[in-house]
Amino acid sequence: MSASVTGAARRADAQRNRERILQAARDLVREPGELKLNAVAKACGIGQGTLYRHFPTREDLLAEVYRREVEELVAAAPRLLETHEPLDALAAWFDRVAAYARVKRDVFAAIEAATWRDLAAHSLGPIGEAVELLLAAGRSAGTVRADAEARDVIVLISWLSRLDDAELDARGPRLLSILIDGLRPPRP
């Protein structure tokens, strides 16, 4: 096997390992108690050395889980607009926000305060842009009130990450529905 094929195979294998690590961490962060790196390695069937090559610290791993959640949440906005009317796209996006809130709460509970600031800066800009994309489409279609701003929505949905799973399941859909109703333009 040539050196370039061997290197490419290793890179592909390393990328698969990284994805498996992130998925295992994403699943395990939802469980009670502290996320243990050895549990992540065991869950995805790799050695601890492999895990540490990708993520030297627990905080590095958790930060990447969170960054991935933000990227997926932001990427969902334009995809939803391709298949839904603007207000329906926003409502569907809010369903994704509820899942994101769980991960955010669990990750932020596990990461030190200094890392929080970096992660918050990483997420607020892109999430605000995704919200504005959805709101702008709704304003153009006449289904979202003209004075709705992305910051308004972010402030209103920020409570989701403070709810435990039972309350998020019980109240989340109703509260997000109330928010959607509040974003509709006032009736004449």
Side-chain angles (χ1 to χ4, degrees), residues 14-26 30 54-55 60-76 79 96 100 103-104 107 119 122-123 126-127:
Q15 185 59 35
R16 281 191 302 275
N17 283 339
R18 181 178 177 82
E19 294 302 319
R20 288 172 40 210
I21 292 165
L22 287 169
Q23 186 57 52
R26 194 178 196 175
R30 294 184 176 120
H54 290 279
F55 302 100
D60 291 333
L61 175 58
L62 289 169
E64 187 58 28
V65 166
Y66 179 74
R67 283 185 185 97
R68 181 71 55 93
E69 285 290 320
V70 169
E71 289 168 2
E72 289 176 10
L73 182 65
V74 169
R79 284 196 313 267
R96 300 275 320 247
Y100 157 79
V103 172
K104 178 181 177 181
V107 167
L119 289 175
H122 171 78
S123 65
I127 289 174

Side-chain angles (χ1 to χ4, degrees), residues 71-92:
E71 289 168 2
E72 289 176 10
L73 182 65
V74 169
R79 284 196 313 267
L80 288 167
L81 284 170
E82 291 172 3
T83 58
H84 295 76
E85 292 299 318
L87 198 58
D88 293 335
L90 185 58

Side-chain angles (χ1 to χ4, degrees), residues 4-187:
S4 64
V5 171
T6 304
R10 277 194 210 125
R11 284 189 297 274
D13 185 51
Q15 185 59 35
R16 281 191 302 275
N17 283 339
R18 181 178 177 82
E19 294 302 319
R20 288 172 40 210
I21 292 165
L22 287 169
Q23 186 57 52
R26 194 178 196 175
D27 295 341
L28 291 171
V29 77
R30 294 184 176 120
E31 295 181 5
E34 181 180 335
L35 178 72
K36 304 277 188 201
L37 291 182
N38 60 348
V40 173
K42 184 177 178 182
C44 58
I46 61 165
Q48 287 187 9
T50 299
L51 185 141
Y52 285 109
R53 274 192 297 283
H54 290 279
F55 302 100
T57 69
R58 183 172 153 271
E59 289 75 19
D60 291 333
L61 175 58
L62 289 169
E64 187 58 28
V65 166
Y66 179 74
R67 283 185 185 97
R68 181 71 55 93
E69 285 290 320
V70 169
E71 289 168 2
E72 289 176 10
L73 182 65
V74 169
R79 284 196 313 267
L80 288 167
L81 284 170
E82 291 172 3
T83 58
H84 295 76
E85 292 299 318
L87 198 58
D88 293 335
L90 185 58
W93 191 78
F94 281 162
D95 290 340
R96 300 275 320 247
V97 168
Y100 157 79
R102 280 194 172 103
V103 172
K104 178 181 177 181
R105 182 200 60 221
D106 296 340
V107 167
F108 276 32
I111 296 180
E112 314 235 5
T115 307
W116 276 31
R117 287 187 294 275
D118 178 52
L119 289 175
H122 171 78
S123 65
L124 290 180
I127 289 174
E129 291 167 10
V131 170
E132 183 53 36
L133 174 72
L134 293 162
L135 292 176
R139 285 190 298 265
S140 292
T143 57
V144 170
R145 57 189 298 151
D147 63 344
E149 297 178 2
R151 180 74 181 142
D152 299 333
V153 173
I154 289 172
V155 168
L156 290 169
I157 64 175
S158 67
W159 56 269
L160 289 171
S161 62
R162 291 170 173 60
L163 301 177
D164 64 29
D165 287 345
E167 190 171 22
L168 188 55
D169 290 339
R171 294 182 185 278
R174 183 176 67 249
L175 294 172
L176 289 171
S177 176
I178 292 168
L179 177 55
I180 287 290
D181 288 343
L183 288 169
R184 295 180 197 280
R187 293 185 182 176

